[in-house]
Each structure stands twice: as structure tokens, then as C-alpha cells.
């Protein structure tokens, strides 16, 4: 993630280009990892930065913070956010790089929201303060043929039962922008300042418009991360096919139906997501979709598990 320049430089710019926001403030860094964001906050003028990390990387974080001369400014706590005891009652700013694949897969947003409700001052800030999930559709016949339709005929044998398993798991990979055959439509705009944990299990409508005659094989979800509330210099970075590469890539959901589509027509539906009952780290995702072309309806409901 440190080599992900889009991610790291966006956080750096959000802090260093808004130094007046951080001057003499108390900052909480949730999931501080190597300490890079904590050190940016210290550089921006924070009076105290509290870095919380539950993994064993904390052994290195302490050395990194000391090696860079921030040991008097940055307090490091090893443990789970919900279990550690902060040295202060309230903080002015919360920073965290909590986003996961499909934005919410294995993310730390639950912990960020808990800390927001427990420790953030009434007029405090959250970095980032907004995330927007987006959806589009792609033509991707070569990959589908190689990885999914392969099971239709394996050396002359019918193995379609495995094909259904292959369709069950979304693909996290880089989508070429020229494969995109629709506009990019907003799916879910999440305000990190106010959203509740229970709202992270969602069902949202989408409507996307095809921009050329082609074949539709899959729906793609990606997201934008935004730092803007109360800031003079606003920062945003995207993780879509038309954006610079990030380690989040995009999440691709291959459809049962292969649809010949016409420029100007629409694909509509809903995308719902909730934690898996048996393993809350996993996400159960359902996509309902419908395409009408010249009186012919194509569509259905498809279940996926992101794990």
C-alpha cells in the first residue's frame, strides 16, 4: 500500500495542504500500520497523534516513528480500536485508510464509526469524510471464455456445475477503460460523518446507459474517496477503470446472461450487500438486473460472495 502513490499522496495532500486544520490538534489514526499517515499528521502540525494498530507491524512502527524524530509527538497503542484506552477523552480529527475491495470488504469502517461516536469532538473532522461507490458495465468476452465458459466443455465433458461456482465469486482485478461500455453511475454515497453501522448493509438502485453497440458480460463496482468537509483544499481520488492504478483495482461481477446491447439503451437493477451470517468478514452480494431491447427482456437475480 505504501507503493500505491495515488492512495498515499492523496492522504498526504489532504493533510499537508490543510495545515491550519491540523495545527495544535489531537489526531487519532485508526489502523496506523507503518505510521505513514500518523507522521503526515505530525508534519501538518498536530499537537498529538495517537496511532492504533492491532497487528504485529507495530513493532516496526515504533522504530519508524523514533527513527524519524516523532516519538514525542506520536503515541502508539497496540490493540483493537474498541479495546485500547486512549490517553485523552476526545480527539479533534480521525484519520484512517479503512477502505477495502468493493469499498466495504474487510474494511475497518466499523471501527472508524465506533471511534467517531466514542472519541470525536462534536465539531471534529474525519479524513476521509465521504466515499462514493459507482457502477458500470463492461465487455470482457476473452476472460469470460477463459475462466467461466471453459467449464461448458472440458475435453468433451460437461462441467457446468463448476461454472456456477466460478460465477459465484467476484473478480478483483484491473479493468481496461476501453472495456467499459456504459456511463459510470453513482450507487451509494456514504457520508462518514453521519453514517450508521447498520446502513453499511445496503440495497441500492442503479441505472446505467450503454454508450456503444456491444456485448455486456459483467457489472463493475469501484469507488471514489473524498476529503472535502471543512477543507480549503479538497482532495479526491478514484479507483475506476478510467483512473490511475490503485491496489484496490475494481470488483467485477460476471452475469449469467451474455447480452447484445444497443447504444442508448439502459441496464437497470439493484445491488444489495450484507455481511455473511457465518463469517462477517465476507460479503453476500446480490445483483438484480434487467435489460429491455426491442421488446425483449433479459435479466435475473444473481448471488455472489466476496471472500
Amino acid at each position: 500500500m505504501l507503493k500505491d502513490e495515488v492512495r498515499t499522496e492523496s492522504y498526504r495532500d489532504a493533510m499537508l495542504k490543510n495545515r491550519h486544520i491540523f495545527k495544535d490538534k489531537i489526531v487519532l489514526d485508526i489502523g496506523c500500520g507503518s505510521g505513514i499517515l500518523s507522521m503526515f499528521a505530525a508534519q501538518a502540525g498536530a499537537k498529538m497523534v495517537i496511532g492504533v494498530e492491532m497487528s504485529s507491524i507495530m513493532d516496526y512502527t515504533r522504530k519508524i516513528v523514533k527513527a524519524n524524530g516523532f516519538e514525542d509527538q506520536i503515541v502508539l497503542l497496540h490493540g483493537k480500536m474498541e479495546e485500547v484506552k486512549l490517553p485523552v477523552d476526545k480527539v479533534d480529527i480521525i484519520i484512517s485508510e479503512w477502505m477495502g475491495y468493493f469499498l466495504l470488504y474487510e474494511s475497518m469502517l466499523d471501527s472508524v464509526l465506533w471511534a467517531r461516536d466514542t472519541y470525536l469532538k462534536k465539531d471534529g473532522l474525519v479524513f476521509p469524510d465521504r466515499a462514493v461507490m459507482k457502477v458500470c458495465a463492461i465487455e470482457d468476452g476473452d476472460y469470460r471464455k477463459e475462466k467461466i465458459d471453459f467449464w461448458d466443455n472440458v475435453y468433451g465433458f460437461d462441467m457446468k456445475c463448476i461454472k456456477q461456482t466460478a460465477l459465484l465469486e467476484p473478480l478483483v482485478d484491473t479493468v481496461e477503460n476501453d472495456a467499459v461500455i456504459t456511463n459510470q453511475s453513482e450507487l451509494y454515497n456514504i457520508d462518514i460523518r453521519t453514517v450508521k453501522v447498520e446502513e453499511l448493509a445496503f440495497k441500492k438502485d442503479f441505472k446505467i446507459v450503454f454508450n456503444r453497440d456491444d456485448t455486456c458480460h459483467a457489472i463493475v463496482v469501484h469507488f471514489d474517496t473524498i476529503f472535502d468537509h471543512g477543507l480549503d483544499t479538497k482532495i479526491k481520488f478514484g479507483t475506476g477503470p478510467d483512473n490511475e492504478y490503485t491496489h484496490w483495482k475494481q470488483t467485477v461481477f460476471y452475469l449469467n446472461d451474455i447480452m447484445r446491447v444497443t447504444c442508448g439503451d439502459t441496464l437497470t437493477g439493484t445491488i444489495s450487500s450484507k455481511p455473511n451470517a457465518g463469517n462477517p468478514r465476507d460479503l453476500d452480494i446480490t445483483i438484480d438486473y434487467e435489460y429491455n431491447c426491442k421488446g425483449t427482456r433479459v435479466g435475473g437475480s444473481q448471488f455472489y460472495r466476496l471472500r
Side-chain angles (χ1 to χ4, degrees), residues 101-102 136-140 143-144 148 166-176 217-222 241 248-255 285 287 302 304-306:
Y101 301 128
F102 188 70
C136 62
I138 61 170
E139 182 283 323
D140 198 15
Y143 183 90
R144 182 187 172 102
I148 296 174
L167 282 166
L168 176 69
E169 294 193 14
L171 173 71
V172 176
D173 206 347
T174 301
V175 174
E176 297 297 330
H217 296 99
I219 287 173
V220 175
V221 176
H222 53 93
W248 289 285
K249 304 177 185 177
Q250 295 87 41
T251 308
V252 184
F253 300 87
Y254 288 93
L255 303 174
I285 300 165
I287 298 181
Q302 202 159 330
Y304 306 87
R305 179 161 294 157
L306 190 53

Side-chain angles (χ1 to χ4, degrees), residues 65-263:
V65 166
K66 184 176 181 179
N68 287 277
F70 292 112
E71 66 267 36
D72 294 333
Q73 204 173 351
I74 298 176
V75 177
L76 296 173
L77 302 177
H78 190 193
K80 189 176 181 181
M81 182 66 239
E82 292 84 347
E83 297 173 356
V84 299
K85 176 64 176 176
L86 299 195
V88 296
D89 293 329
K90 295 292 180 179
V91 301
D92 300 292
I93 301 172
I94 291 176
I95 58 175
S96 181
E97 196 273 78
W98 54 264
M99 300 82 72
Y101 301 128
F102 188 70
L103 184 64
L104 299 175
Y105 174 63
E106 290 191 334
S107 82
M108 293 188 299
L109 186 51
D110 286 17
S111 294
V112 172
L113 301 187
W114 182 89
R116 177 201 67 188
D117 296 341
T118 305
Y119 287 111
L120 188 63
K121 290 181 178 179
K122 186 176 181 180
D123 58 347
L125 299 177
V126 182
F127 279 61
D129 55 270
R130 197 152 52 92
V132 181
M133 301 178 76
K134 295 182 176 181
V135 60
C136 62
I138 61 170
E139 182 283 323
D140 198 15
D142 289 342
Y143 183 90
R144 182 187 172 102
K145 182 178 181 180
E146 177 187 355
K147 299 295 185 181
I148 296 174
D149 294 336
F150 165 81
W151 300 105
D152 289 341
N153 186 327
V154 183
Y155 301 101
F157 298 104
D158 183 339
M159 297 189 181
K160 291 189 180 70
C161 58
I162 297 179
K163 180 177 180 178
Q164 293 307 308
T165 301
L167 282 166
L168 176 69
E169 294 193 14
L171 173 71
V172 176
D173 206 347
T174 301
V175 174
E176 297 297 330
N177 193 39
D178 58 9
V180 178
I181 57 175
T182 68
N183 65 318
Q184 297 182 17
S185 178
E186 183 176 300
L187 179 67
Y188 190 13
N189 192 326
I190 303 176
D191 188 338
I192 313 304
R193 297 171 301 147
T194 59
V195 70
K196 300 177 181 178
V197 170
E198 54 267 29
E199 294 173 333
L200 302 181
F202 67 86
K203 182 176 183 179
K204 298 292 181 180
D205 296 331
F206 71 87
K207 179 181 179 180
I208 47 181
V209 182
F210 294 103
N211 54 32
R212 66 180 188 237
D213 296 350
D214 213 316
T215 304
C216 177
H217 296 99
I219 287 173
V220 175
V221 176
H222 53 93
F223 61 89
D224 292 345
T225 301
I226 303 164
F227 308 76
D228 66 356
H229 180 72
L231 304 185
D232 293 340
T233 302
K234 304 180 187 303
I235 303 293
K236 179 179 84 169
F237 69 88
T239 63
D242 60 335
N243 297 123
E244 191 175 346
Y245 171 87
T246 72
H247 72 279
W248 289 285
K249 304 177 185 177
Q250 295 87 41
T251 308
V252 184
F253 300 87
Y254 288 93
L255 303 174
N256 278 317
D257 297 297
I258 298 174
M259 297 175 284
R260 288 295 304 171
V261 298
T262 303
C263 182

